[in-house]
């Protein structure tokens, strides 16, 4: 199977997404993860754009050893020299130089003739070759360029020493059939095209970036430029995870693979989302929260019987531990029982039937059914969760120059207990006091605070997840005092653990 190179431009084109800028430390973190993911080329930035970009490219070039490190440069001497300087520490460096080839850009932006553009492209490639053997040339706005001129430019830059020629759909204008034809045309008509790798770089203005990239691969492209989560200028670039998983899922169709370690995809997606603040939409292909979540009863039943009925990829292959059955009004008994089992509840058939009826009733009223709703429901079926631990009192001292201290009074069974503890913050002090009073061995896996209403008098809701001996329980607490809400959440989870242990 031929290998298609993955050129990741999350740190360059991806960073051009409004609001997605990253500092140097963040870029390094992403670059290291891209290395673990197995991308062939990391485009680390555009060094002439700013001193920060220069430093980031330099740092990536210095620290990241596996992939080729690329830097972008317009077809201008100063850009190319700056890119070369930033790439100096790289083990394998690529200078990526570009100039527009479409008449629209020539006339309105560059104010250059075709001949002048051709000469600038050739000169840029020649200069870049003085610094590295690995030079990529991009014909910006290639898909709106005249095909004969594009052929002429490709031939000339390859002759000048470009080993990769990129045919960007800069404005996301093309469609798969047309792009396929263009790549085939170049491969057939440019006499020295076999001396270079044809690369594609698609923007998503019409939502076709991935489809166009895949069409180009079928036409013979050997490199795809893409970004994690599809971030990038305007509507973004082709999403790396979608291109890679399409090739993996349909090997007979594409007869092409990549070097990507797909199990690293999810982690990379989440890292980029966290760092850029660009949320991954829940229904995003491959990495969205719902990509492996099944709600419809028929689907849930099918997946529980045989995964491949409704899943074309295995979540584990992307690095997601397992598919999620989302319980809602469309869910069936099979999924309901499976989820309860995961939560550690084994009900008799009769109990299950009654609990399922309650669940259906609840699902009609509530959009999302969370695990704690199920637990409450089962608790009602099996008898309420007894409040073995009860919060009787809590007082906190805390301040700018004071170590936070919590004094907690609890009821444990029929005993009343007090404890005073210090901590790194008021919540930490409170939790330490509760731990001392209950002797719990559970680990706090999650702590979340939400404001339920707006304003400073808002009711705060705290959710916690505790784990003990492989069992996980959630606890909730709400109060206008956020520390009290946190204490209540912890105690409610401890009561559930106590119930499970008996
Ligand atoms: O979209 C584009 O044309 C680009 C080039 C610089 C490759 O990002
Ligand atoms: Zn681009």
């Amino acid at each position: 199977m031929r290998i298609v190179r993955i050129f990741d431009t999350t740190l360059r084109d991806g960073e051009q997404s409004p609001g997605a800028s990253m500092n140097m430390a963040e870029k390094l973190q992403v670059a290291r993860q891209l290395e673990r993911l197995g991308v062939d080329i990391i485009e680390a930035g555009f060094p002439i754009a700013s001193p920060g970009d220069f430093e980031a490219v330099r740092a990536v070039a210095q620290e990241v050893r596996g992939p080729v490190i690329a830097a972008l440069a317009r077809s201008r001497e100063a850009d190319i020299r700056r890119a070369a300087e930033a790439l100096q520490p790289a083990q394998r460096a690529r200078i990526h130089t570009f100039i527009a080839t479409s008449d629209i850009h020539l006339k309105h932006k560059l104010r250059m003739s075709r001949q002048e553009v051709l000469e600038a492209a050739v000169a840029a490639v020649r200069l870049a070759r003085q610094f590295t053997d690995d030079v990529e040339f991009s014909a910006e706005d290639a898909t709106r360029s005249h095909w004969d001129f594009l052929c002429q430019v490709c031939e000339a830059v390859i002759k000048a020493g470009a080993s990769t020629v990129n045919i960007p759909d800069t404005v996301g204008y093309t469609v798969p059939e047309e792009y396929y034809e263009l790549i085939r045309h170049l491969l057939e008509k440019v006499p020295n095209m076999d001396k270079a790798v044809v690369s594609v770089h698609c923007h998503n203005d019409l939502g076709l970036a991935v489809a166009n990239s895949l069409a180009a691969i079928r036409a013979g492209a050997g490199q795809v430029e893409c970004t994690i989560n599809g971030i990038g200028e305007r509507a973004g670039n082709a999403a790396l995870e979608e291109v890679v998983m399409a090739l993996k899922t349909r090997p007979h169709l594409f007869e092409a693979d990549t070097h990507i370690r797909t199990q690293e995809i999810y982690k990379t997606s989440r890292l980029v989302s966290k760092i850029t603040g660009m949320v991954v939409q829940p229904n995003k292909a491959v990495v969205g929260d719902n990509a492996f979540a099944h709600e419809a009863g028929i689907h849930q039943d099918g997946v529980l019987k045989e995964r491949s009925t409704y899943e074309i990829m295995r979540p584990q292959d992307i690095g997601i531990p397992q598919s999620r059955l989302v319980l809602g009004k469309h869910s069936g008994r099979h999924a309901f029982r499976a989820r309860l089992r995961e939560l550690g509840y084994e009900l008799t058939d009769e109990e299950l039937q009654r609990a399922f009826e309650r669940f259906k009733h609840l699902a009609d009223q509530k959009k999302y059914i969370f695990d704690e709703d199920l637990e409450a429901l089962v608790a009602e079926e099996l008898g309420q969760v007894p409040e073995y631990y009860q919060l009787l009192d809590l007082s906190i001292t805390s301040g700018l120059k004071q170590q936070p201290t919590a004094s907690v009074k609890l009821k444990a069974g029929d005993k009343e207990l007090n404890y005073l503890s210090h901590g790194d913050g008021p919540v930490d002090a409170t939790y330490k006091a509760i731990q001392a009073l209950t002797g719990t061995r559970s680990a706090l896996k999650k702590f979340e605070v939400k404001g339920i209403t707006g304003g400073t008098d808002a009711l705060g809701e705290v959710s916690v997840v505790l784990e003990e001996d492989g069992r996980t329980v959630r606890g909730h607490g709400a109060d206008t005092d956020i520390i009290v809400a946190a204490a209540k959440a912890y105690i409610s989870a401890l009561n559930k653990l106590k119930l499970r242990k008996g």
Side-chain angles (χ1 to χ4, degrees):
M1 187 106 56
R2 83 188 167 101
I3 293 290
V4 171
R5 294 179 190 172
I6 296 295
F7 176 114
D8 182 279
T9 182
T10 306
L11 297 177
R12 199 278 298 169
D13 214 323
E15 209 214 8
Q16 286 174 220
S17 310
S21 55
M22 299 171 238
N23 63 33
M24 196 166 90
E26 290 168 337
K27 283 192 173 181
L28 265 175
Q29 216 183 332
V30 172
R32 287 196 196 102
Q33 180 56 30
L34 290 172
E35 184 184 5
R36 283 191 281 273
L37 180 65
V39 306
D40 299 281
I41 302 112
I42 295 177
E43 186 165 52
F46 190 4
I48 196 113
S50 72
D53 243 48
F54 176 89
E55 289 307 333
V57 174
R58 207 174 166 83
V60 173
Q62 198 140 29
E63 294 220 6
V64 179
R65 289 294 174 209
V68 170
I69 308 301
L72 188 67
R74 285 167 298 184
S75 291
R76 292 184 186 180
E77 186 177 339
D79 284 40
I80 292 166
R81 291 196 184 280
R82 193 79 174 136
E85 198 187 337
L87 288 171
Q88 224 174 3
Q91 205 170 43
R92 293 191 293 153
R94 173 178 297 189
I95 296 179
H96 175 195
T97 184
F98 74 98
I99 191 164
T101 50
S102 69
D103 288 339
I104 302 180
H105 279 234
L106 264 60
K107 182 170 172 208
H108 301 289
K109 185 183 83 173
L110 298 175
R111 303 207 170 104
M112 285 166 83
S113 67
R114 286 188 181 175
Q115 187 55 33
E116 284 167 332
V117 164
L118 187 71
E119 284 167 14
V122 167
V125 171
R126 284 212 183 108
L127 176 61
R129 277 298 303 263
Q130 292 181 12
F131 301 102
T132 171
D133 289 345
D134 190 345
V135 173
E136 172 169 337
F137 173 79
S138 279
E140 193 190 9
D141 205 18
T143 52
R144 292 192 299 168
S145 302
H146 196 287
W147 285 20
D148 288 346
F149 181 54
L150 195 56
C151 286
Q152 214 185 329
V153 172
C154 290
E155 186 181 349
V157 293
I158 295 169
K159 212 185 270 172
S163 46
T164 305
V165 175
N166 187 31
I167 311 299
D169 183 28
T170 303
V171 289
Y173 178 73
T174 197
V175 297
E177 292 75 10
E178 183 185 62
Y179 203 41
Y180 176 94
E181 288 304 323
L182 174 59
I183 301 300
R184 284 248 45 91
H185 183 82
L186 294 169
L187 283 166
E188 279 158 19
K189 298 283 185 239
V190 176
N192 54 358
M193 207 59 181
D194 59 324
K195 307 272 185 311
V197 173
V198 175
S199 170
V200 290
H201 175 116
C202 296
H203 278 270
N204 206 28
D205 299 66
L206 293 173
L208 292 171
V210 170
N212 289 336
S213 304
L214 293 172
I217 290 172
R218 291 194 77 191
Q223 173 178 291
V224 178
E225 304 197 357
C226 41
T227 59
I228 302 297
N229 300 335
I231 64 171
E233 190 77 37
R234 303 182 312 281
N237 290 66
L240 178 150
E241 61 278 6
E242 295 178 25
V243 172
V244 168
M245 290 315 291
L247 298 184
K248 200 173 168 72
T249 307
R250 303 299 305 276
H252 301 299
L253 193 66
F254 293 106
E255 295 179 327
D257 202 356
T258 66
H259 289 132
I260 295 296
R261 289 177 208 102
T262 61
Q263 295 84 349
E264 293 290 324
I265 285 180
Y266 186 72
K267 216 188 288 170
T268 317
S269 161
R270 286 303 178 265
L271 178 72
V272 169
S273 171
K274 193 180 84 187
I275 285 181
T276 59
M278 294 194 69
V279 178
V280 176
Q281 74 196 56
N283 59 328
K284 163 86 177 63
V286 183
V287 291
D289 272 352
N290 293 349
F292 294 93
H294 305 275
E295 230 239 35
I298 297 169
H299 291 209
Q300 293 183 337
D301 184 52
V303 167
L304 285 166
K305 285 177 177 147
E306 166 53 42
R307 185 197 62 79
S308 62
T309 50
Y310 287 99
E311 274 182 7
I312 57 165
M313 299 170 265
R314 295 187 325 150
Q316 300 91 309
D317 290 342
I318 288 135
I320 306 172
Q322 59 185 28
S323 340
R324 241 171 8 104
L325 299 184
V326 178
L327 292 182
K329 68 176 177 184
H330 306 294
S331 306
R333 201 185 318 268
H334 194 171
F336 181 66
R337 186 195 283 266
R339 186 77 199 116
L340 289 184
R341 277 198 180 129
E342 278 170 20
L343 291 171
Y345 295 106
E346 199 58 67
L347 272 64
T348 64
D349 287 348
E350 273 166 46
E351 286 165 345
L352 186 85
Q353 178 55 30
R354 284 198 301 271
F356 185 64
E357 279 162 21
R358 280 171 190 255
F359 158 74
K360 280 286 183 182
H361 185 67
L362 182 69
D364 266 338
Q365 298 160 356
K366 212 167 173 270
K367 201 162 168 184
Y368 298 108
I369 306 286
F370 297 106
D371 285 350
E372 55 270 24
D373 295 314
L374 292 182
E375 290 185 322
L377 210 135
V378 172
E380 276 176 40
E381 201 45 59
L382 303 175
Q384 292 291 340
V385 179
E387 288 211 331
Y388 181 80
Y389 299 115
Q390 284 174 43
L391 182 67
L392 296 179
D393 203 3
L394 167 63
S395 64
I396 300 288
T397 50
S398 165
L400 271 181
K401 295 191 178 141
Q402 226 176 344
Q403 192 182 17
T405 308
S407 166
V408 177
K409 188 170 177 188
L410 270 194
K411 192 158 177 210
D414 49 14
K415 285 190 230 122
E416 285 189 10
L417 311 166
N418 283 296
Y419 199 84
L420 185 104
S421 182
H422 300 293
D424 287 337
V427 174
D428 187 50
T430 305
Y431 276 31
K432 282 193 172 130
I434 296 174
Q435 280 154 15
L437 289 172
T438 59
T440 181
R441 290 183 296 112
S442 59
L444 182 65
K445 290 288 172 193
K446 198 165 165 186
F447 180 88
E448 256 173 18
V449 183
K450 264 189 277 176
I452 295 179
T453 51
T456 50
D457 60 346
L459 197 61
E461 189 186 59
V462 174
S463 305
V464 297
V465 174
L466 300 186
E467 192 185 271
E468 190 178 87
D469 299 332
R471 285 179 166 158
T472 306
V473 290
R474 281 170 187 269
H476 288 272
D479 201 280
T480 46
D481 182 328
I482 208 73
I483 313 295
V484 174
K488 284 181 177 173
Y490 198 16
I491 288 168
S492 88
L494 289 172
N495 278 328
K496 286 183 189 167
L497 274 180
K498 182 111 188 85
L499 175 71
R500 295 229 188 135
K501 283 196 280 190

